[in-house]
Structures are given as C-alpha cells and as structure tokens.
Amino acid sequence: MTSPTLSSHCISKGFDTGKMHLQVIKNSSLDILPGELTLVIGPSGSGKSTMLSMMSGLLRPDTGHVLALGVDLWTLGEAALDRFRLENCGFVFQGFNLFSGLTALENVIVPLQYLGVRGTEATTRARRALDEVGLSTRSHLRPAELSGGEKQRVAIARALVKNPALIFADEPTSALDKTSGQTVIDLLKRIAADHGATVLGVTHDPRLLSHADRVIELEDGNVVRDRRTSDDGRRSNEQRKGKRPCSTASLGTALEAPRPARF
C-alpha cells in the first residue's frame, strides 16, 4: 500500500473578528498520497484555502500536526520551515504571481536562483519545464503577451522546475475559461502521475472534479465526503482508516502566533 507523503492529524484553525471567534477548520485528519491529484472542494467560507495553507506550511494551525515527507512542519523554526518549502514545495496561485517585467523563461528561473542554480543549468531546467507545459515556443514573451491559461502554465512550470515532491494549487483555474481550466487541471494530474508528486489543490468549480484522482469535500470546517473519481484499487482516507479520533492528548497546541511566511 502506498504511504502518504502529506498528513494532517487533528488540525484546527479559528480567527477572531472583533468580539467573535470563527472556527474555520475543526479537528481535521487526512492522508494525501503521492502520484495523484487530490482536490479539496466546498462552498465559499468552508475552509478550503485555510486547510491548504496549514498543510503547505504557510499558516500555523491552532492545534494538531502536519507531517510532510516525514517532517513535522510546525516543530521547525522559521528558517528551517522556509528552507523546507523552498526545497520541497511548489506553489500555484489563483492570480499567477508572475513578474511582469520578466519573460516566461526568466520567471521560471527565479526559484532556481534561490536554490543557488544559475547560468546554463538554470536555463536548461527552465526550458525543460516550459516544454513540459507546452510553452517552449512562448518562453520569450512577458506575462502581458500571454493568455490567462498560458500565464497559469508558466506558473506551473515555475513550480515544477525545482522538481518538488509536493505541489500546492490554490484555486488555479478560477480566473480561466472552461477550456483553459481543464487544460491546467489535466496538466497538474499528469505531473502528479509522471513525477510521482503529491499534488493538493482547492477549487470551487464542479466541472473539474472528474479530472481529479480524489475529491475531498469540506463543509463548515469538516470533511463531509472523501471519494475517488475512479476505481484504481486504492481506497479513500476514510475507507482505509476510518476517522481518527482527536483526543486532547494528541493535540499539539501552537506555541507561537501566526507569522508571515516566506517562500
């Protein structure tokens, strides 16, 4: 049986707004497997992006633990957590987050520079990543000269160029039309399969669900459904293990307040 590369145990998160406390995620436990695309869905305010942020090391949970590649993320110091994300995680955002003054090729090279990879090696790896997303002939263009779907594919190439074990996608198709959105989600699924990466994304678009390997549905901070879109002999988290209890002793209360994350 395939072992999970990303797990949460009893994580929860709430926010104070004035005199009110809003509990966004409530004692959630999940195992996410490598080599497949897992999508988290749910209505606005259900906690999708909050869950993704906690599992990717961007937002500290109030309680619980996140294990990524065997590392308990929230026991790491700030510098070690930043380094873990840099070396092991790729991020794809809703708004592309490309540098407008750089070409597609130069945008993809940026994370390699933070890893100390420069010159010919950086250019070669960036061109290979752009070729994988079908943009080898558009590498010289700046974001303003690209369509929305092309911009998001550049963002995927930028995430892919580090060859990360974990890829996180926050509403990667929300700014795209139907055809471009399906292209992007199929690309993420293929990257998971071809690279053995763990790809976890969130979406509100029901048209994309059939393209995922697994769909997790959130409602009011709780996982209400966890299913696979095809029968490949592996069962969902709930089916494999059932719901794991969250006892008081198993909850690791955060020792620090949330802080801005660098990645």
Side-chain angles (χ1 to χ4, degrees):
M1 180 179 293
T2 304
S3 299
T5 47
L6 181 66
S7 299
S8 65
H9 180 58
C10 299
I11 59 172
S12 62
K13 187 66 183 180
F15 298 95
D16 292 322
T17 56
K19 295 182 179 180
M20 296 182 61
H21 180 77
L22 177 63
Q23 194 65 36
V24 180
I25 297 294
K26 304 169 183 175
N27 292 336
S28 173
S29 297
L30 289 170
D31 291 333
I32 310 298
L33 303 178
E36 61 184 30
L37 169 63
T38 299
L39 288 181
V40 179
I41 66 167
S44 178
S46 61
K48 303 185 300 296
S49 293
T50 299
M51 177 175 283
L52 187 78
S53 295
M54 288 192 291
M55 296 194 70
S56 62
L58 294 176
L59 179 67
R60 179 180 292 274
D62 294 332
T63 61
H65 304 274
V66 176
L67 292 178
L69 307 179
V71 177
D72 191 341
L73 290 186
W74 296 107
T75 64
L76 299 177
E78 180 176 352
L81 184 57
D82 287 346
R83 191 69 191 179
F84 181 90
R85 285 195 304 264
L86 177 63
E87 294 178 348
N88 300 289
C89 302
F91 293 89
V92 181
F93 300 100
Q94 175 180 347
F96 316 134
N97 288 14
L98 301 177
F99 292 102
S100 60
L102 302 182
T103 65
L105 179 66
E106 291 166 342
N107 268 284
V108 175
I109 287 175
V110 168
L112 293 177
Q113 294 176 328
Y114 284 101
L115 285 169
V117 180
R118 294 181 172 81
T120 302
E121 182 182 354
T123 301
T124 299
R125 288 174 60 172
R127 290 192 183 280
R128 187 184 304 127
L130 284 168
D131 183 60
E132 187 161 353
V133 300
L135 289 178
S136 57
T137 62
R138 311 280 282 171
S139 63
H140 61 290
L141 300 178
R142 288 178 169 79
E145 302 171 288
L146 300 171
S147 69
E150 289 173 333
K151 291 176 188 176
Q152 196 59 291
R153 283 190 280 161
V154 173
I156 292 172
R158 181 183 57 192
L160 180 63
V161 74
K162 299 187 296 181
N163 195 28
L166 307 170
I167 296 178
F168 300 95
D170 190 1
E171 298 278 9
T173 65
S174 63
L176 307 179
D177 59 41
K178 178 181 178 181
T179 300
S180 296
Q182 290 178 346
T183 298
V184 164
I185 213 71
D186 285 341
L187 181 57
L188 289 172
K189 182 175 181 178
R190 179 167 59 81
I191 288 171
D194 292 351
H195 292 261
T198 301
V199 182
L200 179 63
V202 302
T203 184
H204 66 278
D205 190 344
R207 298 174 299 182
L208 303 178
L209 302 188
S210 62
H211 298 254
D213 297 294
R214 177 181 172 197
V215 176
I216 298 169
E217 186 173 349
L218 283 185
E219 188 174 306
D220 295 330
N222 295 302
V223 176
V224 295
R225 185 174 303 168
D226 183 349
R227 62 183 175 86
R228 293 194 170 277
T229 57
S230 62
D231 183 9
D232 62 356
R234 289 180 293 183
R235 294 169 291 175
S236 72
N237 183 69
E238 287 183 330
Q239 291 171 317
R240 284 200 315 274
K241 293 187 175 181
K243 293 183 178 180
R244 288 175 283 175
C246 292
S247 65
T248 302
S250 69
L251 295 179
T253 303
L255 299 178
E256 300 176 19
R259 52 180 167 75
R262 295 176 294 174
F263 51 90

Tab-separated table of all heavy atoms in Angstrom, residues 160-216:
chain	number	residue	atom	x	y	z
A	160	LEU	N	7.208	23.558	-11.061
A	160	LEU	CA	7.749	22.255	-11.451
A	160	LEU	C	9.262	22.255	-11.591
A	160	LEU	O	9.911	21.213	-11.417
A	160	LEU	CB	7.101	21.837	-12.781
A	160	LEU	CG	7.486	20.512	-13.399
A	160	LEU	CD1	7.077	19.353	-12.491
A	160	LEU	CD2	6.813	20.361	-14.760
A	161	VAL	N	9.856	23.401	-11.877
A	161	VAL	CA	11.269	23.458	-12.236
A	161	VAL	C	12.181	22.973	-11.106
A	161	VAL	O	13.291	22.486	-11.352
A	161	VAL	CB	11.648	24.892	-12.681
A	161	VAL	CG1	11.722	25.849	-11.479
A	161	VAL	CG2	12.945	24.899	-13.469
A	162	LYS	N	11.703	23.065	-9.870
A	162	LYS	CA	12.502	22.588	-8.729
A	162	LYS	C	12.377	21.085	-8.535
A	162	LYS	O	13.033	20.520	-7.659
A	162	LYS	CB	12.052	23.287	-7.442
A	162	LYS	CG	12.205	24.791	-7.453
A	162	LYS	CD	11.889	25.373	-6.085
A	162	LYS	CE	10.447	25.148	-5.674
A	162	LYS	NZ	10.139	25.742	-4.340
A	163	ASN	N	11.501	20.445	-9.325
A	163	ASN	CA	11.190	19.020	-9.160
A	163	ASN	C	10.745	18.727	-7.727
A	163	ASN	O	11.277	17.834	-7.049
A	163	ASN	CB	12.393	18.141	-9.521
A	163	ASN	CG	11.998	16.680	-9.704
A	163	ASN	OD1	10.860	16.366	-10.076
A	163	ASN	ND2	12.915	15.773	-9.424
A	164	PRO	N	9.723	19.447	-7.233
A	164	PRO	CA	9.312	19.290	-5.836
A	164	PRO	C	8.516	18.010	-5.623
A	164	PRO	O	7.822	17.530	-6.522
A	164	PRO	CB	8.429	20.521	-5.610
A	164	PRO	CG	7.815	20.775	-6.950
A	164	PRO	CD	8.892	20.439	-7.949
A	165	ALA	N	8.591	17.487	-4.421
A	165	ALA	CA	7.787	16.309	-4.071
A	165	ALA	C	6.347	16.694	-3.780
A	165	ALA	O	5.440	15.872	-3.890
A	165	ALA	CB	8.393	15.605	-2.866
A	166	LEU	N	6.123	17.964	-3.399
A	166	LEU	CA	4.799	18.454	-3.024
A	166	LEU	C	4.449	19.678	-3.857
A	166	LEU	O	5.254	20.612	-3.962
A	166	LEU	CB	4.764	18.829	-1.538
A	166	LEU	CG	5.229	17.773	-0.531
A	166	LEU	CD1	5.363	18.391	0.852
A	166	LEU	CD2	4.269	16.601	-0.501
A	167	ILE	N	3.253	19.676	-4.449
A	167	ILE	CA	2.773	20.831	-5.210
A	167	ILE	C	1.409	21.223	-4.658
A	167	ILE	O	0.509	20.386	-4.523
A	167	ILE	CB	2.678	20.528	-6.712
A	167	ILE	CG1	4.071	20.244	-7.286
A	167	ILE	CG2	2.038	21.701	-7.463
A	167	ILE	CD1	4.069	19.875	-8.758
A	168	PHE	N	1.252	22.514	-4.337
A	168	PHE	CA	0.007	23.032	-3.779
A	168	PHE	C	-0.584	24.057	-4.748
A	168	PHE	O	0.118	24.972	-5.196
A	168	PHE	CB	0.262	23.683	-2.424
A	168	PHE	CG	0.834	22.734	-1.404
A	168	PHE	CD1	2.215	22.660	-1.209
A	168	PHE	CD2	0.009	21.911	-0.662
A	168	PHE	CE1	2.753	21.773	-0.271
A	168	PHE	CE2	0.536	21.031	0.268
A	168	PHE	CZ	1.905	20.953	0.462
A	169	ALA	N	-1.868	23.911	-5.058
A	169	ALA	CA	-2.526	24.786	-6.027
A	169	ALA	C	-3.782	25.375	-5.401
A	169	ALA	O	-4.722	24.648	-5.070
A	169	ALA	CB	-2.868	24.001	-7.286
A	170	ASP	N	-3.795	26.692	-5.229
A	170	ASP	CA	-4.917	27.388	-4.601
A	170	ASP	C	-5.788	28.038	-5.675
A	170	ASP	O	-5.412	29.042	-6.258
A	170	ASP	CB	-4.401	28.440	-3.615
A	170	ASP	CG	-5.505	29.031	-2.761
A	170	ASP	OD1	-6.668	28.621	-2.916
A	170	ASP	OD2	-5.203	29.909	-1.923
A	171	GLU	N	-6.945	27.431	-5.954
A	171	GLU	CA	-7.876	27.916	-6.981
A	171	GLU	C	-7.136	28.213	-8.291
A	171	GLU	O	-7.230	29.316	-8.836
A	171	GLU	CB	-8.593	29.176	-6.494
A	171	GLU	CG	-9.449	28.977	-5.253
A	171	GLU	CD	-10.823	28.397	-5.560
A	171	GLU	OE1	-11.053	27.992	-6.723
A	171	GLU	OE2	-11.648	28.335	-4.646
A	172	PRO	N	-6.415	27.246	-8.854
A	172	PRO	CA	-5.569	27.531	-10.014
A	172	PRO	C	-6.334	27.816	-11.294
A	172	PRO	O	-5.741	28.303	-12.256
A	172	PRO	CB	-4.750	26.241	-10.157
A	172	PRO	CG	-5.640	25.169	-9.608
A	172	PRO	CD	-6.345	25.824	-8.450
A	173	THR	N	-7.650	27.543	-11.323
A	173	THR	CA	-8.410	27.738	-12.567
A	173	THR	C	-9.496	28.797	-12.436
A	173	THR	O	-10.246	29.014	-13.386
A	173	THR	CB	-9.075	26.411	-12.987
A	173	THR	OG1	-10.049	26.024	-12.004
A	173	THR	CG2	-8.046	25.304	-13.127
A	174	SER	N	-9.592	29.465	-11.301
A	174	SER	CA	-10.734	30.354	-11.067
A	174	SER	C	-10.752	31.551	-12.007
A	174	SER	O	-11.815	32.107	-12.280
A	174	SER	CB	-10.745	30.834	-9.612
A	174	SER	OG	-9.592	31.589	-9.342
A	175	ALA	N	-9.586	31.963	-12.510
A	175	ALA	CA	-9.531	33.114	-13.412
A	175	ALA	C	-9.533	32.697	-14.885
A	175	ALA	O	-9.321	33.532	-15.763
A	175	ALA	CB	-8.280	33.940	-13.113
A	176	LEU	N	-9.791	31.408	-15.154
A	176	LEU	CA	-9.684	30.887	-16.513
A	176	LEU	C	-11.037	30.451	-17.052
A	176	LEU	O	-11.955	30.128	-16.294
A	176	LEU	CB	-8.725	29.684	-16.527
A	176	LEU	CG	-7.343	29.905	-15.914
A	176	LEU	CD1	-6.534	28.622	-15.992
A	176	LEU	CD2	-6.615	31.052	-16.612
A	177	ASP	N	-11.147	30.416	-18.400
A	177	ASP	CA	-12.355	29.875	-19.006
A	177	ASP	C	-12.358	28.354	-18.884
A	177	ASP	O	-11.391	27.746	-18.421
A	177	ASP	CB	-12.472	30.304	-20.470
A	177	ASP	CG	-11.285	29.868	-21.321
A	177	ASP	OD1	-10.807	28.725	-21.147
A	177	ASP	OD2	-10.833	30.658	-22.167
A	178	LYS	N	-13.455	27.726	-19.288
A	178	LYS	CA	-13.620	26.294	-19.087
A	178	LYS	C	-12.513	25.480	-19.743
A	178	LYS	O	-11.916	24.590	-19.117
A	178	LYS	CB	-14.977	25.842	-19.648
A	178	LYS	CG	-15.222	24.347	-19.527
A	178	LYS	CD	-16.560	23.962	-20.122
A	178	LYS	CE	-16.785	22.454	-20.054
A	178	LYS	NZ	-18.093	22.068	-20.659
A	179	THR	N	-12.202	25.787	-21.005
A	179	THR	CA	-11.204	25.013	-21.736
A	179	THR	C	-9.822	25.159	-21.105
A	179	THR	O	-9.110	24.170	-20.889
A	179	THR	CB	-11.150	25.449	-23.210
A	179	THR	OG1	-12.438	25.236	-23.804
A	179	THR	CG2	-10.108	24.646	-23.969
A	180	SER	N	-9.437	26.399	-20.781
A	180	SER	CA	-8.132	26.627	-20.167
A	180	SER	C	-8.055	25.989	-18.784
A	180	SER	O	-7.021	25.427	-18.403
A	180	SER	CB	-7.857	28.131	-20.056
A	180	SER	OG	-7.773	28.730	-21.335
A	181	GLY	N	-9.166	26.052	-18.050
A	181	GLY	CA	-9.191	25.448	-16.724
A	181	GLY	C	-8.997	23.943	-16.777
A	181	GLY	O	-8.241	23.375	-15.974
A	182	GLN	N	-9.645	23.297	-17.718
A	182	GLN	CA	-9.493	21.849	-17.854
A	182	GLN	C	-8.076	21.491	-18.285
A	182	GLN	O	-7.522	20.481	-17.835
A	182	GLN	CB	-10.519	21.313	-18.836
A	182	GLN	CG	-11.943	21.358	-18.296
A	182	GLN	CD	-12.971	20.868	-19.295
A	182	GLN	OE1	-12.685	20.736	-20.488
A	182	GLN	NE2	-14.174	20.602	-18.822
A	183	THR	N	-7.482	22.320	-19.139
A	183	THR	CA	-6.097	22.089	-19.558
A	183	THR	C	-5.147	22.148	-18.368
A	183	THR	O	-4.267	21.299	-18.203
A	183	THR	CB	-5.672	23.128	-20.616
A	183	THR	OG1	-6.496	22.992	-21.778
A	183	THR	CG2	-4.214	22.941	-21.013
A	184	VAL	N	-5.343	23.157	-17.518
A	184	VAL	CA	-4.477	23.336	-16.347
A	184	VAL	C	-4.640	22.180	-15.363
A	184	VAL	O	-3.657	21.629	-14.862
A	184	VAL	CB	-4.774	24.689	-15.669
A	184	VAL	CG1	-4.192	24.738	-14.258
A	184	VAL	CG2	-4.222	25.831	-16.506
A	185	ILE	N	-5.875	21.773	-15.086
A	185	ILE	CA	-6.089	20.711	-14.097
A	185	ILE	C	-5.589	19.376	-14.621
A	185	ILE	O	-5.037	18.556	-13.877
A	185	ILE	CB	-7.577	20.641	-13.677
A	185	ILE	CG1	-7.687	20.221	-12.203
A	185	ILE	CG2	-8.390	19.739	-14.560
A	185	ILE	CD1	-7.249	21.262	-11.228
A	186	ASP	N	-5.736	19.123	-15.939
A	186	ASP	CA	-5.199	17.891	-16.533
A	186	ASP	C	-3.675	17.894	-16.483
A	186	ASP	O	-3.051	16.837	-16.307
A	186	ASP	CB	-5.680	17.741	-17.974
A	186	ASP	CG	-7.138	17.302	-18.058
A	186	ASP	OD1	-7.661	16.776	-17.059
A	186	ASP	OD2	-7.752	17.484	-19.126
A	187	LEU	N	-3.091	19.067	-16.636
A	187	LEU	CA	-1.638	19.180	-16.568
A	187	LEU	C	-1.138	18.852	-15.166
A	187	LEU	O	-0.151	18.118	-14.994
A	187	LEU	CB	-1.221	20.595	-16.962
A	187	LEU	CG	0.272	20.927	-16.978
A	187	LEU	CD1	1.022	19.988	-17.914
A	187	LEU	CD2	0.476	22.379	-17.416
A	188	LEU	N	-1.825	19.355	-14.148
A	188	LEU	CA	-1.447	19.043	-12.771
A	188	LEU	C	-1.589	17.545	-12.489
A	188	LEU	O	-0.753	16.944	-11.799
A	188	LEU	CB	-2.312	19.844	-11.799
A	188	LEU	CG	-2.035	21.347	-11.737
A	188	LEU	CD1	-3.095	22.052	-10.891
A	188	LEU	CD2	-0.647	21.630	-11.190
A	189	LYS	N	-2.628	16.933	-13.043
A	189	LYS	CA	-2.820	15.494	-12.854
A	189	LYS	C	-1.699	14.710	-13.525
A	189	LYS	O	-1.178	13.740	-12.962
A	189	LYS	CB	-4.169	15.070	-13.410
A	189	LYS	CG	-4.482	13.597	-13.216
A	189	LYS	CD	-5.885	13.256	-13.683
A	189	LYS	CE	-6.205	11.783	-13.456
A	189	LYS	NZ	-7.597	11.455	-13.866
A	190	ARG	N	-1.309	15.125	-14.713
A	190	ARG	CA	-0.237	14.425	-15.430
A	190	ARG	C	1.101	14.586	-14.710
A	190	ARG	O	1.900	13.638	-14.630
A	190	ARG	CB	-0.137	14.948	-16.866
A	190	ARG	CG	0.982	14.294	-17.675
A	190	ARG	CD	0.851	14.588	-19.147
A	190	ARG	NE	0.890	15.996	-19.442
A	190	ARG	CZ	2.013	16.712	-19.536
A	190	ARG	NH1	3.195	16.137	-19.293
A	190	ARG	NH2	1.973	17.992	-19.835
A	191	ILE	N	1.353	15.771	-14.171
A	191	ILE	CA	2.594	15.996	-13.419
A	191	ILE	C	2.647	15.082	-12.199
A	191	ILE	O	3.688	14.498	-11.883
A	191	ILE	CB	2.707	17.473	-13.012
A	191	ILE	CG1	3.011	18.329	-14.254
A	191	ILE	CG2	3.775	17.677	-11.949
A	191	ILE	CD1	2.922	19.816	-14.007
A	192	ALA	N	1.516	14.936	-11.512
A	192	ALA	CA	1.470	14.041	-10.349
A	192	ALA	C	1.825	12.619	-10.760
A	192	ALA	O	2.632	11.954	-10.091
A	192	ALA	CB	0.080	14.082	-9.717
A	193	ALA	N	1.246	12.160	-11.856
A	193	ALA	CA	1.477	10.782	-12.298
A	193	ALA	C	2.897	10.583	-12.824
A	193	ALA	O	3.569	9.600	-12.473
A	193	ALA	CB	0.457	10.407	-13.368
A	194	ASP	N	3.371	11.513	-13.651
A	194	ASP	CA	4.671	11.345	-14.302
A	194	ASP	C	5.837	11.564	-13.340
A	194	ASP	O	6.882	10.915	-13.472
A	194	ASP	CB	4.802	12.317	-15.483
A	194	ASP	CG	3.863	11.976	-16.626
A	194	ASP	OD1	3.239	10.889	-16.579
A	194	ASP	OD2	3.742	12.786	-17.568
A	195	HIS	N	5.678	12.468	-12.385
A	195	HIS	CA	6.768	12.813	-11.471
A	195	HIS	C	6.620	12.149	-10.104
A	195	HIS	O	7.509	12.270	-9.263
A	195	HIS	CB	6.851	14.329	-11.288
A	195	HIS	CG	7.281	15.063	-12.527
A	195	HIS	ND1	8.579	15.477	-12.735
A	195	HIS	CD2	6.584	15.443	-13.628
A	195	HIS	CE1	8.660	16.094	-13.905
A	195	HIS	NE2	7.461	16.088	-14.463
A	196	GLY	N	5.488	11.483	-9.873
A	196	GLY	CA	5.258	10.891	-8.561
A	196	GLY	C	5.057	11.930	-7.479
A	196	GLY	O	5.246	11.650	-6.291
A	197	ALA	N	4.665	13.142	-7.881
A	197	ALA	CA	4.494	14.232	-6.918
A	197	ALA	C	3.141	14.124	-6.217
A	197	ALA	O	2.183	13.561	-6.745
A	197	ALA	CB	4.601	15.579	-7.623
A	198	THR	N	3.087	14.687	-5.026
A	198	THR	CA	1.822	14.830	-4.308
A	198	THR	C	1.261	16.195	-4.674
A	198	THR	O	1.856	17.220	-4.341
A	198	THR	CB	2.054	14.745	-2.791
A	198	THR	OG1	2.656	13.480	-2.490
A	198	THR	CG2	0.755	14.886	-2.027
A	199	VAL	N	0.116	16.213	-5.376
A	199	VAL	CA	-0.482	17.474	-5.810
A	199	VAL	C	-1.806	17.666	-5.071
A	199	VAL	O	-2.736	16.873	-5.232
A	199	VAL	CB	-0.713	17.501	-7.337
A	199	VAL	CG1	-1.288	18.859	-7.746
A	199	VAL	CG2	0.592	17.238	-8.075
A	200	LEU	N	-1.871	18.707	-4.258
A	200	LEU	CA	-3.065	19.031	-3.485
A	200	LEU	C	-3.563	20.404	-3.907
A	200	LEU	O	-2.818	21.383	-3.861
A	200	LEU	CB	-2.748	19.025	-1.982
A	200	LEU	CG	-3.894	19.381	-1.033
A	200	LEU	CD1	-5.028	18.368	-1.129
A	200	LEU	CD2	-3.386	19.474	0.406
A	201	GLY	N	-4.815	20.461	-4.350
A	201	GLY	CA	-5.375	21.723	-4.802
A	201	GLY	C	-6.740	21.975	-4.207
A	201	GLY	O	-7.384	21.066	-3.669
A	202	VAL	N	-7.186	23.220	-4.266
A	202	VAL	CA	-8.549	23.558	-3.859
A	202	VAL	C	-9.248	24.223	-5.033
A	202	VAL	O	-8.618	24.930	-5.841
A	202	VAL	CB	-8.576	24.487	-2.623
A	202	VAL	CG1	-7.867	23.847	-1.449
A	202	VAL	CG2	-7.971	25.849	-2.933
A	203	THR	N	-10.548	23.982	-5.153
A	203	THR	CA	-11.325	24.559	-6.244
A	203	THR	C	-12.783	24.674	-5.821
A	203	THR	O	-13.245	23.949	-4.934
A	203	THR	CB	-11.218	23.719	-7.522
A	203	THR	OG1	-11.925	24.382	-8.594
A	203	THR	CG2	-11.822	22.332	-7.331
A	204	HIS	N	-13.488	25.593	-6.454
A	204	HIS	CA	-14.933	25.696	-6.255
A	204	HIS	C	-15.669	25.296	-7.532
A	204	HIS	O	-16.893	25.368	-7.591
A	204	HIS	CB	-15.316	27.140	-5.896
A	204	HIS	CG	-15.062	28.105	-7.019
A	204	HIS	ND1	-13.819	28.648	-7.268
A	204	HIS	CD2	-15.875	28.594	-7.978
A	204	HIS	CE1	-13.893	29.447	-8.329
A	204	HIS	NE2	-15.133	29.430	-8.778
A	205	ASP	N	-14.928	24.857	-8.562
A	205	ASP	CA	-15.501	24.571	-9.873
A	205	ASP	C	-15.847	23.088	-9.992
A	205	ASP	O	-14.956	22.245	-10.121
A	205	ASP	CB	-14.505	24.971	-10.964
A	205	ASP	CG	-15.131	24.935	-12.356
A	205	ASP	OD1	-16.212	24.329	-12.508
A	205	ASP	OD2	-14.537	25.514	-13.277
A	206	PRO	N	-17.128	22.719	-9.964
A	206	PRO	CA	-17.514	21.306	-10.031
A	206	PRO	C	-17.174	20.641	-11.365
A	206	PRO	O	-17.099	19.418	-11.445
A	206	PRO	CB	-19.035	21.339	-9.802
A	206	PRO	CG	-19.453	22.718	-10.222
A	206	PRO	CD	-18.303	23.609	-9.870
A	207	ARG	N	-16.935	21.437	-12.409
A	207	ARG	CA	-16.606	20.862	-13.721
A	207	ARG	C	-15.249	20.172	-13.715
A	207	ARG	O	-14.960	19.342	-14.582
A	207	ARG	CB	-16.605	21.964	-14.786
A	207	ARG	CG	-17.933	22.660	-14.975
A	207	ARG	CD	-17.818	23.828	-15.929
A	207	ARG	NE	-16.877	24.833	-15.428
A	207	ARG	CZ	-16.610	25.977	-16.050
A	207	ARG	NH1	-17.209	26.247	-17.207
A	207	ARG	NH2	-15.747	26.832	-15.546
A	208	LEU	N	-14.407	20.475	-12.730
A	208	LEU	CA	-13.055	19.932	-12.713
A	208	LEU	C	-12.943	18.632	-11.921
A	208	LEU	O	-11.914	17.961	-11.985
A	208	LEU	CB	-12.095	20.969	-12.106
A	208	LEU	CG	-12.050	22.326	-12.797
A	208	LEU	CD1	-11.091	23.241	-12.051
A	208	LEU	CD2	-11.651	22.202	-14.255
A	209	LEU	N	-13.978	18.273	-11.185
A	209	LEU	CA	-13.868	17.168	-10.246
A	209	LEU	C	-13.581	15.840	-10.924
A	209	LEU	O	-12.848	15.004	-10.386
A	209	LEU	CB	-15.141	17.064	-9.403
A	209	LEU	CG	-15.498	18.330	-8.612
A	209	LEU	CD1	-16.660	18.043	-7.676
A	209	LEU	CD2	-14.301	18.872	-7.855
A	210	SER	N	-14.142	15.628	-12.101
A	210	SER	CA	-13.924	14.359	-12.798
A	210	SER	C	-12.486	14.215	-13.283
A	210	SER	O	-12.067	13.114	-13.642
A	210	SER	CB	-14.889	14.240	-13.988
A	210	SER	OG	-14.642	15.275	-14.932
A	211	HIS	N	-11.729	15.302	-13.290
A	211	HIS	CA	-10.335	15.261	-13.733
A	211	HIS	C	-9.384	14.885	-12.595
A	211	HIS	O	-8.208	14.601	-12.850
A	211	HIS	CB	-9.924	16.627	-14.302
A	211	HIS	CG	-10.704	17.032	-15.509
A	211	HIS	ND1	-10.180	17.010	-16.785
A	211	HIS	CD2	-11.990	17.452	-15.649
A	211	HIS	CE1	-11.099	17.417	-17.638
A	211	HIS	NE2	-12.200	17.698	-16.973
A	212	ALA	N	-9.866	14.899	-11.357
A	212	ALA	CA	-9.017	14.597	-10.194
A	212	ALA	C	-9.005	13.095	-9.924
A	212	ALA	O	-9.896	12.355	-10.337
A	212	ALA	CB	-9.519	15.344	-8.967
A	213	ASP	N	-7.978	12.652	-9.207
A	213	ASP	CA	-7.934	11.264	-8.741
A	213	ASP	C	-8.778	11.087	-7.481
A	213	ASP	O	-9.362	10.021	-7.264
A	213	ASP	CB	-6.486	10.853	-8.433
A	213	ASP	CG	-5.611	10.882	-9.665
A	213	ASP	OD1	-5.845	10.068	-10.569
A	213	ASP	OD2	-4.702	11.735	-9.727
A	214	ARG	N	-8.838	12.129	-6.676
A	214	ARG	CA	-9.533	12.058	-5.393
A	214	ARG	C	-10.144	13.416	-5.078
A	214	ARG	O	-9.535	14.455	-5.369
A	214	ARG	CB	-8.553	11.640	-4.300
A	214	ARG	CG	-9.115	11.578	-2.884
A	214	ARG	CD	-8.011	11.168	-1.934
A	214	ARG	NE	-8.395	11.251	-0.542
A	214	ARG	CZ	-7.526	11.251	0.456
A	214	ARG	NH1	-6.227	11.171	0.214
A	214	ARG	NH2	-7.941	11.312	1.714
A	215	VAL	N	-11.331	13.415	-4.490
A	215	VAL	CA	-12.033	14.647	-4.148
A	215	VAL	C	-12.419	14.613	-2.672
A	215	VAL	O	-13.043	13.654	-2.205
A	215	VAL	CB	-13.296	14.827	-5.012
A	215	VAL	CG1	-14.063	16.079	-4.578
A	215	VAL	CG2	-12.933	14.916	-6.492
A	216	ILE	N	-12.024	15.663	-1.942
A	216	ILE	CA	-12.349	15.806	-0.524
A	216	ILE	C	-13.272	17.007	-0.389
A	216	ILE	O	-12.937	18.104	-0.827
A	216	ILE	CB	-11.084	16.003	0.323
A	216	ILE	CG1	-10.170	14.778	0.210
A	216	ILE	CG2	-11.432	16.287	1.771
A	216	ILE	CD1	-8.790	14.994	0.799
